[in-house]
Amino acid sequence: VDYNGQQIDGPTEKVLSLENLQAKFEAFGWHVINSDGNDMDSIVKALHYAKSLLGKGKPILNLMSTQMGAGVDFMMGSHKWHGVAPNDEQLALALAQLPSTLKDY
């Protein structure tokens, strides 16, 4: 689950709080792993840990804390980019700020 704390109208805590998302999944019997969804090493570590839990009788969830627009100064942490594509100029600015891309644009 990508948990960025944002929704179309603003931060989830101000618009419609999800409260403790981890506790909700655990209440339904899930094993919850937390990771930094903006850090690939953290995600890979969480996936390896999840693999070690297979066959133990519980569904497994990777709850990834993310920051919307991570690495792009005019997008970071803003709900205003939730569901909105940048124009060509904004895209060029954003790509220039990111250390690497998959070149799939």
Side-chain angles (χ1 to χ4, degrees):
V1 171
D2 173 2
Y3 184 53
N4 60 37
Q6 301 286 337
Q7 57 192 57
I8 296 284
D9 296 329
T12 55
E13 293 307 311
K14 290 184 179 180
V15 180
L16 181 61
S17 178
L18 297 172
E19 305 213 5
N20 188 333
L21 197 54
Q22 177 173 341
K24 289 180 180 187
F25 276 95
E26 289 173 342
F28 283 95
W30 289 69
H31 184 100
V32 179
I33 301 167
N34 290 286
S35 66
D36 178 348
N38 291 118
D39 177 34
M40 188 55 72
D41 289 335
S42 178
I43 295 169
V44 170
K45 183 178 176 181
L47 291 173
H48 285 292
Y49 179 52
K51 188 174 180 181
S52 76
L53 298 172
L54 291 175
K56 303 208 189 239
K58 284 180 134 182
I60 303 163
L61 171 75
N62 184 5
L63 185 58
M64 298 179 291
S65 297
T66 61
Q67 181 180 35
M68 289 181 62
V72 179
D73 62 2
F74 63 92
M75 291 181 171
M76 287 193 306
S78 174
H79 71 279
K80 295 177 182 175
W81 291 95
H82 202 292
V84 176
N87 63 33
D88 290 344
E89 182 180 328
Q90 293 164 328
L91 175 62
L93 287 171
L95 291 174
Q97 292 181 36
L98 298 172
S100 65
T101 67
L102 296 175
K103 307 293 184 207
D104 61 352
Y105 50 88

